[in-house]
Amino acid sequence: MCCVMFMIKDHLEIRNNHLIIGSADTAELAEQYGTPLYVTNESRVIENFSAYREAFPEADIYYAAKANASFAILRMLSREGAGADVFSYGELYMALLAGIPRKKILFNGNSKTDFELEKAVELGIRVSVDSQDELHALSKIADKSGKAAEIAFRVNPDVSPKTHPKISTGLRTSKFGIPSEEVVSIYREASELPGISPCGIHCHIGSQILDTSPFKETVQKMMDLVEKVVEIGIHLEFVDMGSGLGIPYKKGEPAPTPQDHADAILPLFKERTEALGISPVLILEPGRYIVADTTILLTRVNTVKKAVKNFVGVDAGFNLLIRPAMYDSYHHVVVANKASSPPEDIYTIAGPICETGDILAKDRELPRVEKGDLIALLDAGAYGFSMSSQYNGRPRCAEVLVKNGASDLIRSREDVEDLLAKQRLPARLM
Ligand code: LLP
């Protein structure tokens, strides 16, 4: 049989009517590992990280672990020289274990526990402080242990990122950050507190941003604050502008690249820092851009039902990919075992969860779908597995990493025992 091969998205191909990722046939992967299955293309992770590094050669790139904290991915990025934005002790623990140097980790979060602050102090991790309360708690903890905690403040720059409201994080009404008008006074207070050494400033305005103008506005507003903070004698070693660069989930959707991001902010950042006579390191914290398009979620068709619509019932639901239910987000669908067959009908891909909102994709034109077919949801690498749950008594699925046609299991499939693993029965219920 002749081998017909063409590209479907940058790093996904079709060969003999099958979807191919990292030169591996998705139908074979589904046979070998079962479904549902997350499949990540190793080379694509590196390509995406390299694109950021090349666009910002002088900046430090701190990968946002929340996007996908699978250990193999953290390890790969650690080897590439990435730092990490972590949002919990769990992410910190994994980032350190993956080999990311402690000096290249920023502990973010709007509601850290004392335990988390103690760990940051003990391990010498920089903290992005989100409130005055947190500042006081950290000062006490660091002072007690005779150490100085290096900190930044997370600033709320009040910028609209022009994205989904649930993932806008730098609006005035958002729960994150110190309001701009309080920034100078809190740096002043911090510089006088025991155990606290302010050395950076931080913000993050949101995610899935498809227009670079909010990034530029953020730099403008942040540099206005930097100027005031420097004026009161604070030495800023770093300015962390967060991230939020979006990706084209829909075919042909215009999306900026890391180079566009760099072109939008670097000239202004350079101009403003030079004018102030300072040379802080620029930090960026991309998550989605690094991992989103590296991964597909493979799910098997259990049922096809003709009702008011054609419902395709698959074995993955919002327990494994919550983005469509939570943000109405779009993930492109390919029938992985009929990847080049012509579309025949319109289908809605429904998960197995007992909720009306458990729809993974609405009204898609697809080849004829039948029981046993394999559906691939594309661009599922960011906030996919990392937001999964065991809802409805569904053990989480496996993850595999593919490279040059070979595959490795990087997370085993959970089984029903995992549903009970941490549960205990009081003696009276035995
Ligand atoms: N830095 C901070 C402080 C953040 O809060 C975030 C994301 C990032 C970096 C990474 O942003 P990215 O480059 O990935 O846009 N679950 C949502 C996205 C939530 C983003 C939360 N913060 C989704 O699935 O769209």
Side-chain angles (χ1 to χ4, degrees):
M1 184 165 80
C2 103
C3 175
V4 187
M5 176 123 143
F6 56 94
M7 305 294 282
I8 180 163
K9 257 193 154 192
D10 270 359
H11 67 295
L12 292 172
E13 297 147 351
I14 296 175
R15 197 193 303 144
N16 295 336
N17 215 7
H18 284 188
L19 179 65
I20 307 293
I21 177 168
S23 304
D25 186 321
T26 51
E28 287 168 19
L29 292 171
E31 268 314 307
Q32 185 178 350
Y33 297 100
T35 58
L37 184 69
Y38 270 102
V39 185
T40 296
N41 180 344
E42 179 167 346
S43 312
R44 187 64 176 175
V45 177
I46 306 300
E47 271 169 42
N48 291 344
F49 182 75
S50 304
Y52 243 102
R53 203 174 31 198
E54 279 155 28
F56 292 93
E58 285 166 25
D60 274 348
I61 310 296
Y62 284 17
Y63 170 61
K66 71 207 82 181
N68 187 330
S70 295
F71 195 61
I73 289 179
L74 293 177
R75 182 78 185 131
M76 259 188 268
L77 291 169
S78 159
R79 286 183 161 191
E80 289 298 304
D85 142 39
V86 300
F87 226 77
S88 63
Y89 176 60
E91 286 181 358
L92 171 60
Y93 175 80
M94 291 189 286
L96 286 170
L97 206 61
I100 296 178
R102 68 180 176 84
K103 277 282 169 207
K104 288 177 85 174
I105 297 179
L106 187 65
F107 198 148
N108 288 318
N110 63 301
S111 178
K112 303 181 193 81
T113 61
D114 283 356
F115 169 77
E116 288 177 316
L117 296 177
E118 280 159 17
K119 278 291 177 190
V121 169
E122 176 194 323
L123 298 167
I125 305 293
R126 285 175 169 162
V127 179
S128 172
V129 174
D130 193 274
S131 67
Q132 197 180 35
D133 249 10
E134 184 186 340
L135 175 65
H136 293 166
L138 185 61
S139 165
K140 272 193 204 135
I141 289 166
D143 192 34
K144 209 168 123 196
S145 64
K147 294 189 175 162
E150 292 192 334
I151 66 152
F153 283 103
R154 166 88 176 250
V155 168
N156 180 326
D158 189 18
V159 172
S160 168
K162 305 181 196 163
T163 185
H164 192 284
K166 282 190 184 151
I167 51 174
S168 299
T169 53
L171 293 168
R172 205 171 162 66
T173 47
S174 143
K175 70 171 180 172
F176 300 104
I178 310 280
S180 296
E181 64 277 12
E182 292 170 25
V183 167
V184 173
S185 65
I186 203 157
Y187 272 94
R188 193 173 279 124
E189 182 183 358
S191 64
E192 287 160 6
L193 277 178
I196 296 291
S197 169
C199 64
I201 189 163
H202 173 221
C203 72
H204 176 74
I205 59 167
S207 197
Q208 184 52 15
I209 298 169
L210 289 173
D211 169 358
T212 55
S213 64
F215 294 128
K216 199 166 176 182
E217 186 187 343
T218 304
V219 172
Q220 193 74 53
K221 289 190 164 170
M222 285 293 283
M223 292 312 296
D224 290 348
L225 291 169
V226 165
E227 194 171 326
K228 291 182 186 158
V229 168
V230 168
E231 259 170 30
I232 63 163
I234 306 283
H235 173 66
L236 290 177
E237 286 174 35
F238 68 93
V239 176
D240 182 338
M241 293 288 181
S243 70
L245 190 67
I247 68 135
Y249 284 97
K250 289 186 178 151
K251 244 185 179 169
E253 189 172 21
T257 61
Q259 191 56 52
D260 296 327
H261 188 186
D263 292 344
I265 69 168
L266 281 185
L268 188 57
F269 180 75
K270 282 190 180 145
E271 182 194 314
R272 298 287 305 264
T273 47
E274 274 170 28
L276 285 171
I278 58 171
S279 43
V281 174
L282 173 65
I283 295 175
L284 294 153
E285 301 177 338
R288 186 187 311 271
Y289 185 85
I290 309 296
V291 286
D293 75 358
T294 66
T295 301
I296 59 173
L297 173 58
L298 282 180
T299 175
R300 187 77 75 183
V301 176
N302 287 326
T303 58
V304 181
K305 177 166 65 180
K306 263 196 180 303
V308 62
K309 289 176 175 217
N310 293 320
F311 286 109
V312 176
V314 294
D315 61 7
F318 76 49
N319 53 320
L320 294 178
L321 182 64
I322 205 168
R323 303 193 67 257
M326 195 147 169
Y327 318 108
D328 285 321
S329 59
Y330 177 97
H331 287 266
H332 193 68
V333 167
V334 175
V335 183
N337 57 319
K338 298 176 177 169
S340 47
S341 302
E344 280 192 27
D345 213 337
I346 299 194
Y347 296 94
T348 286
I349 314 296
I353 300 295
C354 182
E355 298 226 18
T356 308
D358 184 29
I359 299 294
L360 295 172
K362 273 184 202 146
D363 300 332
R364 304 296 173 83
E365 262 200 304
L366 299 173
R368 192 152 74 88
V369 182
E370 296 155 296
K371 180 174 172 59
D373 281 344
L374 198 56
I375 299 285
L377 290 135
L378 308 194
D379 303 318
Y383 310 105
F385 192 97
S386 65
M387 292 180 80
S388 65
S389 74
Q390 294 178 329
Y391 183 45
N392 257 192
R394 294 189 172 273
R396 289 185 186 80
C397 69
E399 288 183 287
V400 300
L401 191 63
V402 292
K403 190 178 178 181
N404 301 332
S407 62
D408 289 286
L409 188 67
I410 58 167
R411 189 191 302 262
S412 327
R413 185 174 302 285
E414 291 179 355
D415 57 31
V416 284
E417 287 302 316
D418 292 299
L419 301 178
L420 290 165
K422 293 285 177 186
Q423 302 197 47
R424 299 285 178 272
L425 271 189
R428 68 180 178 283
L429 297 180
M430 294 286 192

